[in-house]
Amino acid sequence: MPKPLHDFLKQAQRIVVFTGAGLSAESGVPTFRDAQTSLWTWYSLEDLATPEGFVKNPRLVWEWHVWLRKLIDSAHPNPAHRVIAWMEELLPEVTVITQNVDGLHQRAGSQNIIELHGNIQRTRCFNEGYVVGDWEKTEEIPPKCSVCGGYLRPDVVWYNEAIPEDAWLAASHSVRHCEVFITIGSSGLVYPATELCNLALASNAKVIQINPRVTPLDAHASINLRGKAGQIMPKWVLEIWGGQI
Ligand code: APR
């Protein structure tokens, strides 16, 4: 392990862990893009994961999300998810900011989580936006909201949709005030990953990147760890904190 990494993690009071699709890859969770395979290969992302697609064919979009939700249900948090949860217990302040909708951080035990793209296990009203816990089970697909009668939809941020403002404000606040920013499994190519990484750099945070591939952030990060998060992170526990997960 590089000595600076040891020192950054040992001394930091406030750490942000930013996670993208690559973190859950080792748990077998496909990205939206990858989840267009098998039965769904004839449909585009516009058909399956945009508000316009939902208006056009709500049944198709609902059924695709049910399929994806089941796939995610059968996945398990991997060692990297568990190390992140463990860090929260051990270090003064750890905030997880994730682009993933799979809820694997929660299942690993993390509590301080900001979900930028929602969570596929939750459902909300398409018209009004509020999260709905339960609904009348009928033959209708998608089911209808018992308050307004409109369709229900998964509580995820689709393409062509904005990140919820409260999640964005909380995320940018945490990044502005962190000392160490660890980005894991994100290509860093698109908003909001680019903005958050830039904000961390502008705030003089130490930026640590874990990714098997080269990304645009490589040139700017303090430390680039080339490899899979599930293999790299468990070593930290022993080497830095002398523990085991
Ligand atoms: N450990 C760490 N990183 C990994 C691993 C791993 N085991 N496996 C893959 N990666 C890296 C890849 O090299 C890639 O750089 O994870 C990154 C995943 O990149 P993207 O698929 O672009 O994921 P993300 O950055 O989260 O995507 C941004 O685009 O497709 C949309 O909806 C999707 O919200 C997502 C957004």
Side-chain angles (χ1 to χ4, degrees):
M1 158 176 304
K3 168 88 167 68
L5 173 63
H6 181 282
D7 294 348
F8 293 165
L9 292 176
K10 197 90 186 168
Q11 288 157 14
Q13 296 294 307
R14 288 178 300 278
I15 296 182
V16 164
V17 180
F18 172 62
T19 64
L23 176 71
S24 293
E26 285 170 82
S27 295
V29 175
T31 59
F32 270 14
R33 213 170 289 283
D34 292 337
Q36 272 177 280
T37 53
S38 63
L39 295 171
W40 310 98
T41 191
W42 299 110
Y43 300 103
S44 67
L45 276 178
E46 286 69 32
D47 294 328
L48 299 171
T50 64
E52 295 77 17
F54 186 75
V55 169
K56 204 166 105 193
N57 192 342
R59 184 183 183 109
L60 172 76
V61 174
W62 180 266
E63 287 184 332
W64 181 65
H65 283 83
V66 167
W67 171 80
L68 194 53
R69 199 182 270 172
K70 279 192 193 136
L71 212 146
I72 286 170
D73 278 347
S74 63
H76 299 285
N78 67 54
H81 288 107
R82 290 206 298 277
V83 173
I84 295 165
W86 195 82
M87 284 167 69
E88 188 179 319
E89 276 183 32
L90 203 78
L91 303 179
E93 193 180 315
V94 175
T95 306
V96 176
I97 302 174
T98 189
Q99 297 196 111
N100 300 340
V101 299
D102 53 38
L104 289 179
H105 283 298
Q106 285 87 338
R107 282 166 58 191
S110 286
Q111 292 187 25
N112 193 15
I113 306 168
I114 300 168
E115 293 178 316
L116 295 177
H117 291 167
N119 189 314
I120 201 163
Q121 308 300 347
R122 283 194 308 263
T123 300
R124 68 179 148 102
C125 172
F126 183 72
N127 295 338
E128 310 287 344
Y130 39 71
V131 172
V132 171
D134 204 6
W135 54 87
E136 201 189 333
K137 304 287 181 290
T138 65
E139 297 292 295
E140 269 182 307
I141 302 174
K144 295 271 179 65
C145 172
S146 56
V147 180
C148 77
Y151 284 129
L152 295 178
R153 57 164 285 178
D155 186 18
V156 297
V157 175
W158 284 326
Y159 294 92
N160 304 339
E161 288 189 311
I163 289 173
E165 198 184 355
D166 53 347
W168 178 252
L169 289 176
S172 47
H173 176 85
S174 296
V175 174
R176 238 181 260 117
H177 293 92
C178 75
E179 294 149 11
V180 174
F181 179 86
I182 309 175
T183 165
I184 308 168
S186 169
S187 55
L189 288 173
V190 290
Y191 176 86
T194 35
E195 267 71 3
L196 290 177
C197 294
N198 287 338
L199 201 52
L201 291 167
S203 312
N204 289 322
K206 306 293 180 206
V207 173
I208 300 168
Q209 177 177 224
I210 306 179
N211 198 310
R213 295 207 204 117
V214 172
T215 80
L217 189 63
D218 278 40
H220 309 286
S222 308
I223 297 176
N224 286 298
L225 300 170
R226 190 83 66 222
K228 293 185 172 181
Q231 292 173 2
I232 289 174
M233 297 189 80
K235 292 185 197 144
W236 294 5
V237 177
L238 188 64
E239 289 180 29
I240 304 178
W241 299 289
Q244 251 183 329
I245 58 151

